[in-house]
Amino acid sequence: MYRKSEKLARQIVNYLLTHTNADTTSNYFSYTISSEKQANEVTRLAWCYGDLGVGIILYQAGIIFQDKQTIDFSLKVLLNSTKRSTIEDAMIVDAGICHGTAGVAHIYNKMWHYTQDPIFKDACDHWIQKTIEFGIYADGIAGFKKYNGESKRYENDCGLLEGPAGIGLVLLSYLTGDFSWDYCLMLND
């Protein structure tokens, strides 16, 4: 069973590695990956897709498979993503884990703990500050609201992925270095 799982995991990694944008100036991975030519879409920084989500998975796979080439590529992707430091460049509209500032901060925090590279520490600190800045709503839960793309309005959501439950866990990890909860995000070691 392990050999079949390893074979499938390696095939997924190889597929990802061969389906990057032709222009990687802004980002390496688009919203979706297909067998057709990549569209070179600029995607937001997010846990759920794009350079951060794919980059950390490739890093972890490289560590597990002891594949220096995959580790080096993942670090190149993740370090490149740190250049997108404004809300506008990152295309972020709220603080949630899924596609908000907390998720970005959490991935950089994990990469800081993995690598001790100060670029990841600085990026984490930056996005933690941006997360706190989103906590401005007097009628929000702990000051936070999620952005609803369909209604184009901010609304309350107490959930893990888009609400203050997840934001709180990210802040706890930031303060303590304890990542034991993030297996539900498929980010555990």
Side-chain angles (χ1 to χ4, degrees), residues 38-136:
Q38 289 302 105
N40 291 319
E41 293 176 288
V42 175
T43 58
R44 65 178 155 198
L45 292 181
W47 158 79
C48 54
Y49 52 75
D51 286 8
L52 289 181
V54 174
I56 194 165
I57 294 301
L58 289 174
Y59 180 82
Q60 291 172 329
I63 295 295
I64 290 168
F65 298 137
Q66 299 177 357
D67 180 347
K68 184 174 175 358
Q69 192 171 11
T70 299
I71 293 168
D72 290 346
F73 178 77
S74 69
L75 289 171
K76 188 162 107 174
V77 169
L78 291 163
L79 288 167
N80 185 63
S81 74
T82 65
K83 296 174 187 172
R84 297 173 66 191
S85 60
T86 67
I87 294 291
E88 296 77 21
D89 284 344
M91 301 165 56
I92 295 175
V93 294
D94 60 22
I97 288 178
C98 190
H99 43 265
T101 56
V104 174
H106 190 65
I107 289 175
Y108 289 139
N109 194 17
K110 287 197 72 118
M111 291 308 300
W112 156 247
H113 281 271
Y114 287 146
T115 67
Q116 297 297 297
D117 187 324
I119 293 173
F120 291 128
K121 173 72 167 121
D122 291 344
C124 172
D125 291 346
H126 172 76
W127 288 107
I128 287 291
Q129 181 60 43
K130 294 295 181 192
T131 299
I132 292 165
E133 290 171 10
F134 269 115
I136 60 171

Side-chain angles (χ1 to χ4, degrees), residues 19-24 27-43:
H19 286 82
T20 60
N21 289 338
D23 179 1
T24 58
N27 56 281
Y28 284 75
F29 295 98
S30 295
Y31 286 102
T32 59
I33 296 174
S34 70
S35 58
E36 299 173 16
K37 187 176 180 190
Q38 289 302 105
N40 291 319
E41 293 176 288
V42 175
T43 58

Side-chain angles (χ1 to χ4, degrees), residues 3-32:
R3 287 193 190 273
K4 286 182 183 180
S5 298
E6 180 181 353
K7 181 180 177 185
L8 287 172
R10 287 183 185 273
Q11 288 173 338
I12 292 168
V13 166
N14 288 335
Y15 186 82
L16 291 171
L17 292 173
T18 58
H19 286 82
T20 60
N21 289 338
D23 179 1
T24 58
T25 306
S26 181
N27 56 281
Y28 284 75
F29 295 98
S30 295
Y31 286 102
T32 59

